[in-house]
Amino acid sequence: MVSGNYTTTSGFILLGYSNLTNLQGLLFVVFLIIYMVILIGNGVIVFVTMLDSTLHTPMYFFLRNLSFVEICYTSVTLPKMVANCLAEDGKISFIGCAAQMYFSLLLGGTECFLLAAMAFDRYVAICNPLHYTLIVNSEVCASMVAGSWLVNILAHFGQTYLVFSLPFCESREINHFFCDIPPLLELSCVDTFRNKIAVFIAVLLFIITPFFFIVISYIKIASTIMKMPSAQGRCKAFSTCSSHLTVVTLFYGSVMIAYLKPKSKGSVDTDKLLSLFYTIMTPVFNPFIYSLRNKEVKIALRKILSGK
């Protein structure tokens, strides 16, 4: 670090929604309720898919891991948001900020890969059903999940190091509700071109590439469904994909707009709103999308609650 970087000792200040001074109490209650809903909803999916033997299939294996990632992802940002609604300064330490950014990148990237793995599962199930159990076996599923974690664990160490090796010489105020790369780069007093290139490469590898894979998978899925002779068969095949497609649309839509749209001085509030969608709203909706529209999950939950 250069000698002018005072944030190594004093840390940062997360501004969040501190400008809404009269609504801090309400925001505290709202964010706390949202966090509890996320923990309970996704926790139920993890719990049910682990205990019920009828849900020990690749699709529910990926769903269980996705729900676990959602719990961890929101736990990186939401507790601090809740605390900052009551705190007057919104302080976060230098190490705390680095850890928050690293784990949000790690878990966000892992979620992208898991959504792609789920698309692959649906592709094989619909387009190659006779070889489904051979292609998507337990070893393949475990390898895909482990690979999703491992690649992101290693890659985002470098991204985090590049950001936090910068000198932050002017302001300590991060105009965001968590430590994200774009608002941190704005605090640096040196050229951040290298960091922006690293961000572009990361977006390409961890957001665009999985999304492209998902799009290709669903193009092939749609083509196969349209060739099915019966309307009932087409509806049944599409229904197995609808929940996943809904989650993909919510998550990728907000992430890609947030990271790929042109930056402007008036876009800060928009960026924060979009970040709320992929860090909070998707984890909130995920258990409702998969449980309310999935008969197998609802039946399994009733069996567990009734003790049968």
Side-chain angles (χ1 to χ4, degrees):
M1 299 293 177
V2 297
S3 58
N5 186 358
Y6 299 105
T7 56
T8 56
T9 57
S10 57
F12 300 94
I13 297 173
L14 291 169
L15 295 181
Y17 293 98
S18 58
N19 58 314
L20 305 174
T21 53
N22 296 327
L23 298 177
Q24 293 306 301
L26 177 62
L27 291 175
F28 170 80
V29 174
V30 170
F31 288 144
L32 182 60
I33 291 174
I34 288 175
Y35 186 48
M36 296 306 296
V37 169
I38 291 170
L39 292 181
I40 295 171
N42 287 282
V44 166
I45 288 182
V46 173
F47 181 70
V48 170
T49 55
M50 284 182 65
L51 292 185
D52 194 286
S53 58
T54 62
L55 301 182
H56 290 177
T57 63
M59 182 174 72
Y60 292 109
F61 174 75
F62 290 127
L63 177 58
R64 179 165 65 249
N65 280 274
L66 178 65
S67 295
F68 174 74
V69 168
E70 298 279 37
I71 291 171
C72 297
Y73 193 28
T74 51
S75 295
V76 171
T77 57
L78 254 180
K80 186 64 178 175
M81 286 175 61
V82 171
N84 285 346
C85 288
L86 298 181
E88 295 181 0
D89 51 19
K91 286 183 179 178
I92 185 169
S93 68
F94 185 83
I95 297 299
C97 189
Q100 189 182 64
M101 194 189 84
Y102 171 73
F103 284 108
S104 64
L105 292 173
L106 161 62
L107 293 161
T110 301
E111 181 162 351
C112 290
F113 278 43
L114 286 176
L115 289 172
M118 294 173 79
F120 172 74
D121 171 70
R122 292 299 84 203
Y123 161 73
V124 178
I126 293 173
C127 300
N128 201 356
L130 297 179
H131 296 93
Y132 177 74
T133 55
L134 180 65
I135 297 173
V136 191
N137 54 51
S138 57
E139 290 79 12
V140 170
C141 292
S143 297
M144 292 174 76
V145 171
S148 299
W149 280 97
L150 184 61
V151 169
N152 282 278
I153 286 172
L154 297 175
H156 296 302
F157 267 122
Q159 189 76 265
T160 305
Y161 173 78
L162 283 176
V163 172
F164 284 89
S165 61
L166 291 170
F168 302 102
C169 303
E170 295 183 5
S171 172
R172 296 188 298 119
E173 295 182 343
I174 300 174
N175 196 4
H176 214 302
F177 56 84
F178 73 101
C179 293
D180 199 11
I181 296 177
L184 277 164
L185 293 184
E186 292 178 4
L187 302 185
S188 178
C189 57
V190 297
D191 181 51
T192 58
F193 178 76
R194 182 179 64 168
N195 299 84
K196 291 174 182 176
I197 292 296
V199 170
F200 175 79
I201 293 172
V203 168
L204 183 65
L205 293 177
F206 298 102
I207 298 178
I208 302 298
T209 300
F211 182 72
F212 180 75
F213 183 86
I214 292 171
V215 170
I216 295 299
S217 297
Y218 273 107
I219 289 173
K220 293 184 177 181
I221 287 170
S223 176
T224 301
I225 290 176
M226 294 305 294
K227 292 176 183 177
M228 291 180 177
S230 70
Q232 185 178 0
R234 289 195 295 270
C235 289
K236 185 177 180 181
F238 179 75
S239 67
T240 64
C241 303
S242 58
S243 297
H244 179 252
L245 269 174
T246 304
V247 172
V248 166
T249 302
L250 284 172
F251 181 76
Y252 270 101
S254 54
V255 168
M256 293 180 72
I257 294 173
Y259 280 93
L260 297 179
K261 73 178 183 64
K263 299 296 178 182
S264 63
K265 290 183 179 180
S267 68
V268 176
D269 291 335
T270 304
D271 291 343
K272 286 195 283 187
L273 181 62
L274 289 169
S275 297
L276 280 177
F277 269 93
Y278 66 80
T279 58
I280 296 177
M281 300 315 296
T282 302
V284 167
F285 290 134
N286 179 48
F288 294 102
I289 291 168
Y290 278 104
S291 62
L292 294 179
R293 301 179 65 178
N294 192 304
K295 292 181 180 179
E296 291 176 317
V297 173
K298 288 189 284 188
I299 292 170
L301 181 58
R302 289 194 197 103
K303 284 167 58 180
I304 292 172
L305 293 176
S306 63
K308 295 181 180 179

